[in-house]
Amino acid sequence: MEFLKILEYPDPKLRIKATPLKMEEIADNIGLIKNLAYTMYKADGIGLAAAQTGINKRIIVLDVSRKSNKDKLFSLNESDILTANKDLIIAVNPEIIFKEGKTSYEEGCLSIPEFNAEIERFWEIKVKALDILGNEFIVEAKDLLSVAFQHEIDHLDGILFIDKVSQLKRSLYNASLKKKKSASREKEKSYTS
Ligand code: NI
């Protein structure tokens, strides 16, 4: 398995709308799905979308269980990473078919380092998706799981949670990125001189 490089905002590749998989294509993507799960666990995330790694396929992985159990250990073995982690959800072509209520969480994103913001989302959703065998399933997700699903499905549509914050908050973050970038450019210069 491989730790996939996670694209970071404002990489334009994060804005590409991902393409659905045909049922018969899923089997050929098991390696990718393992890499996504591996990368999510290694990076300490509760969700990851293929789109965040520059792969424009509608695949997401989620596991929100560590949020309530900080010491929880996960299997990172290639042979059972997809089966031994009981709270791991793999959703191919996920689609929200029901939404209700409101909730908000302080969200973060592996693609937007050092940025958090409270985002309003639906409290309860139902998601229709395909599993790794190509079977359709429906998940009822509430609260944190619902929020995580909405965040990851947004990634597949090129939407980032920073799009949903106030313009002021976004400009401040953009300014801090620019500063960081020019600081690292200065550093590069000093190495070559
Ligand atoms: Ni994210």
Side-chain angles (χ1 to χ4, degrees):
M1 278 178 307
E2 192 192 335
F3 185 85
L4 302 171
K5 184 178 168 3
I6 299 172
L7 302 177
E8 288 183 6
Y9 172 86
D11 194 315
K13 290 198 203 96
L14 288 168
R15 299 306 191 172
I16 299 171
K17 196 173 158 78
T19 311
L21 268 79
K22 294 197 186 87
M23 209 196 285
E24 60 271 23
E25 290 172 335
I26 297 173
D28 294 334
N29 283 279
I30 298 301
L32 166 63
I33 292 169
K34 285 184 178 180
N35 286 343
L36 287 171
Y38 181 76
T39 304
M40 172 183 74
Y41 287 130
K42 279 279 196 186
D44 244 344
I46 60 168
L48 187 67
Q52 287 176 271
T53 65
I55 296 159
N56 296 304
K57 297 177 178 176
R58 299 190 82 81
I59 304 170
I60 60 174
V61 293
L62 297 158
D63 190 333
V64 300
S65 61
R66 180 152 39 194
K67 201 83 178 167
S68 52
N69 180 1
K70 290 263 179 270
D71 302 322
K72 186 171 176 184
L73 293 174
F74 300 103
S75 168
L76 295 176
N77 303 319
E78 178 145 26
S79 56
D80 69 0
I81 187 167
L82 301 185
T83 50
N85 299 305
K86 296 296 173 214
D87 296 300
L88 174 65
I89 297 173
I90 299 148
V92 176
N93 302 343
E95 214 181 299
I96 297 173
I97 53 168
F98 170 85
K99 44 198 180 188
E100 196 175 68
K102 292 268 179 275
T103 187
S104 62
Y105 268 87
E106 176 96 356
E107 295 188 23
C109 178
L110 294 173
S111 293
I112 313 177
E114 291 160 49
F115 185 76
N116 293 86
E118 189 121 332
I119 304 291
E120 190 173 276
R121 304 265 189 192
F122 295 106
W123 176 71
E124 181 183 6
I125 58 171
K126 281 183 189 151
V127 177
K128 187 175 84 175
L130 300 176
D131 66 15
I132 54 172
L133 300 172
N135 298 316
E136 190 177 292
F137 66 99
I138 290 176
V139 197
E140 268 186 58
K142 288 174 183 161
D143 237 337
L144 179 63
L145 183 59
S146 168
V147 166
F149 256 117
Q150 291 169 72
H151 178 119
E152 297 313 326
I153 293 172
D154 270 355
H155 274 301
L156 301 181
D157 292 321
I159 298 166
L160 301 173
F161 86 105
I162 197 167
D163 305 341
K164 299 175 190 279
V165 306
S166 73
Q167 206 183 336
L168 174 65
K169 201 162 176 175
R170 195 167 43 245
S171 320
L172 287 173
Y173 184 70
N174 287 338
S176 78
L177 277 187
K178 246 183 218 155
K179 214 165 150 190
K180 224 188 274 167
K181 215 172 165 188
S182 68
S184 74
R185 224 179 275 134
E186 283 305 314
K187 214 166 156 196
E188 265 166 41
K189 263 189 224 158
S190 70
Y191 284 148
T192 49
S193 61

